[in-house]
Amino acid sequence: MSAVTQDTAVSTGRAMRVLIYLLLVLFALFYLLPLYVMGINSVKPLSEITGGNMMALPQVWTLDPWRSAWSTAQIGVEPTGLKPYFLNSILMVVPAVAISTIVGALNGYVLTKWRFRGDSWVFGLMLFSCFIPFQIVLIPMAVVLGKLGLAGSVPGLVLVHVVYGIGFTTLYFRNYYAAFPTELVRAAQIDGAGFFQIFWRILLPVSGPIAVVSVIWQFTNIWNDFLFGASFGGTSQPMTVALNNLVQSSTGVKEYNVHFAGAILAALPTLFVYIVAGRYFVRGLMAGSVKG
């Protein structure tokens, strides 16, 4: 009787597993459907799209929409394509991610291994900054950028994203370093190691998982940001603002194939980051969640 019960349980478990996998495949197909539509229509002539065959494979394959979106599409008043704005986004994202990650690591190091009176209040205020809506800081940030002479420039956008991202990176590194044995830091101090020497030789080498989390989080948020880019970009607008201008500035016939190609171009960097390092994201978040 027990053997029959065990066989029934195994069969039921297999059936449930198959059902779960089928549901996951269904959800994945549903989630990937917009990407399929954009990808297929970005390599079609416009006549096929306007003919109502958006879900069908192209009868004529062409890369002209991609060339147009990259180099010749009308963005605002100039037919520059998305290329210069893509470069603006790279020049904005790379230093902003690097600076905010390094500063967040130093903040987490100080708040966990160099405790001082009121450090909990400092961390609380920095944590509070993570919940401040973008819209609230627009006017104060505009005033600061104007006084610093950085309005309408890539360095100005870098400063904005560094300031807004420090709260998040500090939270990640502070929680991660809290699980790191303080005794090792004290032993290094006894051996004569200084503040930066301890950080560089002891803390930083074990910070890989949480650094990946910080980089992915910051890169995604900064690259996909539209509000700050539209508000403070000026003539140095990032990719997301240019993509919006590409769609809005089209006159006459809407070149949907060019718009689809531009949307994929704007999404490729974040997609690449998640493909390369996405598996480390959850691992890095969980690394500092349990002490011991």
Side-chain angles (χ1 to χ4, degrees):
M1 187 68 179
S2 59
V4 175
T5 304
Q6 185 177 2
D7 292 340
T8 303
V10 171
S11 300
T12 303
R14 290 176 179 173
M16 287 298 299
R17 189 179 305 171
V18 171
L19 178 61
I20 291 173
Y21 285 156
L22 289 176
L23 288 175
L24 290 175
V25 170
L26 180 63
F27 291 150
L29 292 175
F30 179 78
Y31 183 79
L32 292 173
L33 182 61
L35 182 60
Y36 167 80
V37 172
M38 289 192 299
I40 288 299
N41 288 280
S42 67
V43 292
K44 284 182 181 179
L46 185 59
S47 57
E48 290 189 30
I49 299 177
T50 55
N53 296 320
M54 294 188 67
M55 299 295 295
L57 292 175
Q59 298 178 3
V60 178
W61 296 76
T62 176
L63 293 177
D64 289 340
W66 288 78
R67 298 188 188 97
S68 177
W70 179 250
S71 59
T72 62
Q74 189 79 22
I75 307 292
V77 296
E78 296 291 338
T80 60
L82 294 173
K83 180 179 179 180
Y85 303 95
F86 185 89
L87 297 177
N88 286 342
S89 290
I90 293 294
L91 294 174
M92 173 187 68
V93 168
V94 173
V97 170
I99 294 172
S100 59
T101 299
I102 292 174
V103 173
L106 287 171
N107 288 342
Y109 169 49
V110 170
L111 291 172
T112 55
K113 306 308 176 187
W114 297 77
R115 304 292 298 272
F116 55 90
R117 181 178 298 180
D119 61 336
S120 298
W121 284 96
V122 173
F123 176 65
L125 292 174
M126 299 192 73
L127 184 61
F128 178 73
S129 67
C130 298
F131 303 97
I132 298 178
F134 285 7
Q135 295 82 355
I136 293 180
V137 302
L138 288 181
I139 294 179
M141 193 65 71
V143 173
V144 172
L145 292 178
K147 291 184 177 181
L148 294 177
L150 298 176
S153 66
V154 172
L157 291 175
V158 171
L159 176 62
V160 170
H161 288 294
V162 167
V163 170
Y164 201 86
I166 283 178
F168 292 99
T169 57
T170 299
L171 171 64
Y172 298 148
F173 281 96
R174 187 264 182 190
N175 290 343
Y176 187 81
Y177 289 155
F180 187 83
T182 306
E183 291 77 10
L184 293 178
V185 177
R186 298 291 177 260
Q189 287 179 305
I190 293 174
D191 291 338
F195 177 87
F196 288 104
Q197 194 173 11
I198 294 174
F199 176 73
W200 183 259
R201 295 190 176 183
I202 298 179
L203 271 297
L204 202 59
V206 299
S207 302
I210 202 64
V212 171
V213 172
S214 177
V215 168
I216 292 178
W217 177 269
Q218 282 295 92
F219 185 93
T220 304
N221 282 344
I222 296 173
W223 186 274
N224 292 334
D225 172 69
F226 176 81
L227 183 61
F228 287 156
S231 301
F232 308 126
T235 58
S236 303
Q237 294 176 340
M239 188 76 163
T240 51
V241 179
L243 179 62
N244 177 74
N245 293 339
L246 170 64
V247 177
Q248 298 297 331
S249 63
S250 297
T251 58
V253 178
K254 292 286 187 179
E255 296 181 312
Y256 296 110
N257 49 357
V258 177
H259 298 169
F260 285 133
I264 296 176
L265 285 172
L268 279 179
T270 52
L271 184 62
F272 174 78
V273 168
Y274 271 102
I275 290 176
V276 172
R279 58 181 176 175
Y280 301 107
F281 187 77
V282 177
R283 187 185 306 175
L285 284 176
M286 297 299 294
S289 60
V290 180
K291 188 172 182 179

